[in-house]
Amino acid sequence: MKRVTRVVISFFFLSLFAGCKDEPLLLSDAISIKAASPLSQPANGVNEIELMVHIGADSDRDKRTVTVSSDIGTFSNKAATITVVVDENGDGKVFLKSTSTGTATVKATVLTFSATVQVNFTYPSGISFENPAIESLVADNNATLKITALIDPLTPTDKRDVVFTTDNGTFSNNANTISVVAIEGKAEAYLKASATGTANVKAVNLDATAIKMVTLTSSGAINFENAAIENLVADGFSLLKISAHIDPNVDPSKRFISFKTDMGTFSNNEKVVSLPIDVAGNAFTHLKGIAVGTATIVATGSSAMTANKTVIFTQPAADDIFKIDSFTDNIASDGISTIAIPVSMNKNLAIADKKVTFTSTGGSFQIPNPVTISADSDGKLTGYLKHNTPGPVYVSVTAGSITRNLTVNFAKANPDFMLLTGNASLSHGLNNTLVLSIDLKRSVGNPNADFLFNYEAIDASGNVIGVFSNGSASNASGAATVSFTAGETNYRGIVLITVSLKSNPAIKATHQVVII
């Protein structure tokens, strides 16, 4: 009798347990874990492996916390174990990274159920140059170029050797190959060369390779075409050609020669001028002066090397035929304004000889070059030269067998004012663009080309709005354009657009547009 009673009681408690909602059953659930990213990542403490865990969707919510652990690496909580609550579909994710190499076993556990997956952490790989661009090195077998290769700073100590090789020149060990141990991810080698050309430098670490190019240039020596002492009449317009030469294979960024004089001026009416070399490595200018004395001319080449020559300014001879009177240059090159070049001729000359021919390397006189002008009864005449390009112009003045050369300089023709036109309204949105037309004007003639601009757009509250794009420099007619878009904005109303000259912000114009 007692035994029957015991059976009834046990069945009763079993039935009660089965009906308890606070103790859910998970017998139908299966747990899994798999990698959602590549199973292998470098052990650099940065790259992560994304892992997905899943349990059955019919589990009660209070039993959806999954514990994930790994025997190598750490999760986003910087620990080897992390918990994740799966969503209503039974899915969750964790991220694992490591600074140690090897195969990690990752285990996901919920209640008494578990699943595992294995992932790999390998040696960090890859190599690059700190400056991958083409660089230049003077090939004098003395100057050196530091070349830095970069590898992952977490690469194991015994894997940090970087081998540099070059097909032109040598490294600091006087060989074309050198092995350098990277420190904190950087390996440095120093290249030198004795012959111009191109060096291809290769850096290798483990199975990774990087290649860069180095241009080997000349030593930069400079010399004058005529290094001897020369004489020049100090009449203010007579010219002496000064020409210098450097290796034409010099680095493209250094293809210039600078001239400096302590007496007289060059073609730009200054004591210093810097000029690009031609394909043969030559550059020249002209020297003139008004004071008697000795000038020292210094030419500086691409690598700061210099050469000197001496020019003696002598007393000018009497003007037996004609002279060029004082004149004003640095006139604006607006195509209208002129430089007046006055000439006084010997009144004792025959009337037929009282004429002068002007020629120039740029611009034009009263009629296209050359122009011949007859003197008046007092022996006076004037040539009027105009130009639409700033810079020096070489002028020759000839009377009979006598020719004198001079240099005049045209200044940049700046605009006096600006016009700005465009549509009066603009829809908001990135695809809606307002094209503004800019027109630079001068009171006399036309401004030069290639002026640049500043742009600004302000809404009614004084806030900057919109974006400008495709702004062009002004052309020979003073015209330029720029595009404006209000973009994705909630603002609707008036926007004041201001365009000003970059070189002279006081010259500006405004345009009002309504954003709709």
Side-chain angles (χ1 to χ4, degrees), residues 293-372:
T294 301
T296 299
I297 314 299
V298 180
T300 304
S302 59
S303 61
M305 298 184 69
T306 61
N308 295 355
K309 76 167 282 158
T310 299
V311 175
I312 299 174
F313 283 99
T314 62
Q315 184 69 39
D319 297 322
D320 295 330
I321 305 298
F322 71 93
K323 64 179 181 178
I324 299 175
D325 298 325
S326 61
F327 62 92
T328 300
D329 60 353
N330 293 321
I331 301 299
S333 55
D334 54 21
I336 299 295
S337 303
T338 60
I339 297 176
I341 305 173
V343 175
S344 295
M345 302 198 70
N346 189 331
K347 291 188 291 185
N348 295 322
L349 293 176
I351 294 178
D353 295 329
K354 290 182 181 179
K355 60 180 64 175
V356 167
T357 299
F358 292 86
T359 59
S360 66
T361 58
S364 62
F365 287 92
Q366 291 92 323
I367 60 174
N369 289 332
V371 59
T372 299

Side-chain angles (χ1 to χ4, degrees), residues 216-482:
L216 306 175
T217 66
S218 70
S219 62
I222 185 169
N223 55 75
F224 284 100
E225 181 181 33
N226 182 0
I229 296 175
E230 294 185 273
N231 295 327
L232 175 61
V233 176
D235 56 10
F237 53 83
S238 295
L239 301 176
L240 177 65
K241 181 180 179 181
I242 306 292
S243 179
H245 173 83
I246 59 175
D247 189 327
N249 296 315
V250 68
D251 185 322
S253 66
K254 300 177 180 179
R255 295 180 60 84
F256 65 88
I257 294 176
S258 176
F259 296 93
K260 181 178 180 180
T261 181
D262 58 0
M263 180 174 285
T265 59
F266 296 112
S267 302
N268 61 346
N269 294 328
E270 302 288 343
K271 291 184 177 296
V272 177
V273 63
S274 183
L275 300 168
I277 62 172
D278 59 22
V279 294
N282 301 315
F284 73 90
T285 184
H286 288 85
L287 180 69
K288 63 182 178 181
I290 58 174
V292 176
T294 301
T296 299
I297 314 299
V298 180
T300 304
S302 59
S303 61
M305 298 184 69
T306 61
N308 295 355
K309 76 167 282 158
T310 299
V311 175
I312 299 174
F313 283 99
T314 62
Q315 184 69 39
D319 297 322
D320 295 330
I321 305 298
F322 71 93
K323 64 179 181 178
I324 299 175
D325 298 325
S326 61
F327 62 92
T328 300
D329 60 353
N330 293 321
I331 301 299
S333 55
D334 54 21
I336 299 295
S337 303
T338 60
I339 297 176
I341 305 173
V343 175
S344 295
M345 302 198 70
N346 189 331
K347 291 188 291 185
N348 295 322
L349 293 176
I351 294 178
D353 295 329
K354 290 182 181 179
K355 60 180 64 175
V356 167
T357 299
F358 292 86
T359 59
S360 66
T361 58
S364 62
F365 287 92
Q366 291 92 323
I367 60 174
N369 289 332
V371 59
T372 299
I373 304 173
S374 296
D376 61 17
S377 58
D378 292 325
K380 304 290 186 179
L381 61 93
T382 302
Y384 295 94
L385 181 64
K386 61 185 177 181
H387 204 6
N388 55 15
T389 303
V393 175
Y394 303 113
V395 178
S396 296
V397 184
T398 301
S401 62
I402 304 300
T403 297
R404 285 176 174 171
N405 300 311
L406 65 150
T407 305
V408 297
N409 192 64
F410 282 91
K412 190 170 186 178
N414 295 303
D416 295 326
F417 60 97
M418 178 193 307
L419 301 177
L420 184 62
T421 57
N423 289 339
S425 63
L426 173 65
S427 298
H428 70 285
L430 294 174
N431 295 325
N432 298 312
T433 302
L434 171 67
V435 177
L436 295 166
S437 296
I438 305 167
D439 196 11
L440 299 180
K441 298 292 186 182
R442 275 178 60 86
S443 56
V444 176
N446 296 315
N448 294 136
D450 297 323
F451 283 96
L452 300 176
F453 306 90
N454 298 313
Y455 312 102
E456 184 181 58
I458 303 296
D459 65 21
S461 299
N463 299 314
V464 176
I465 187 173
V467 176
F468 292 94
S469 61
N470 300 323
S472 67
S474 61
N475 61 20
S477 300
T481 59
V482 66

